[in-house]
Amino acid sequence: GSGVQYNMVRYMSSLANRESVHNRAIALHNGILENNCVYFTAEVLRRAGISIPNYIANTVQLEKQLLNRGWKKHTNLNNLRPGDVVFAGYAHAFTFMGWAGDGYAYVVDNQKSTFGSVLHKRKIFEKDSKYDTNKSTHFFRP
């Protein structure tokens, strides 16, 4: 992957950094705990050196920011690499950290209250009815 992706994964490998990003996303969303995935992902990008504006709040805006910076959209989820920014349709965005096996990936996102940790396993190729997560549809890479 790129230097940015390496920086994202290295930074988010620290529990203290994950908690800091999580808390910043909540603060950017005025203390609201739900629907923070773009605030969270944009904060990860900012901490890796990409100047995403603080007001970016939804997946459509985030995709435009990535495209404007030369990131490319991909749809073959088998090719995911650490540091890719993944989307589940327009419902969710997260950062791919690595494969966990059996169609699961390690990801970081705002869903700590659901999974118990900012870093957790998530199904990639299908909906997960246990956690009510949508299947992933595409991703961006520099």
Side-chain angles (χ1 to χ4, degrees):
S2 72
V4 168
Q5 289 174 291
Y6 174 81
N7 290 340
M8 291 168 67
V9 171
R10 188 182 75 215
Y11 187 84
M12 294 307 288
S13 294
S14 157
L15 175 61
N17 291 345
R18 290 192 299 270
E19 290 299 315
S20 176
V21 169
H22 177 71
N23 292 332
R24 177 69 176 148
I26 293 168
L28 286 169
H29 201 195
N30 300 315
I32 299 169
L33 299 177
E34 294 83 29
N35 297 319
N36 286 336
C37 67
V38 171
Y39 288 111
F40 183 100
T41 303
E43 186 65 20
V44 173
L45 288 160
R46 281 190 288 277
R47 294 189 189 196
I50 305 294
S51 60
I52 305 288
N54 285 337
Y55 63 81
I56 298 302
N58 65 59
T59 55
V60 173
Q61 291 173 326
L62 182 57
E63 284 189 356
K64 287 180 184 175
Q65 290 288 321
L66 295 171
L67 287 169
N68 288 342
R69 286 164 174 74
W71 290 48
K72 303 287 186 233
K73 181 178 178 177
H74 302 272
T75 56
N76 186 346
L77 298 168
N78 289 304
N79 292 334
L80 281 169
R81 293 195 304 233
D84 287 340
V85 175
V86 186
F87 291 81
Y90 291 105
H92 191 58
F94 57 90
T95 302
F96 177 83
M97 297 290 283
W99 288 108
D102 295 326
Y104 285 88
Y106 291 105
V107 306
V108 290
D109 64 14
N110 66 305
Q111 294 184 324
K112 179 180 177 181
S113 63
T114 299
F115 290 94
S117 175
V118 170
L119 173 66
H120 58 88
K121 290 197 294 189
R122 178 188 174 95
K123 281 189 177 181
I124 294 296
F125 301 105
E126 61 190 52
K127 180 177 178 63
D128 187 338
S129 56
K130 178 180 178 183
Y131 293 107
D132 193 30
T133 61
N134 295 328
K135 72 176 189 168
S136 302
T137 53
H138 58 286
F139 64 94
F140 286 82
R141 176 183 297 154

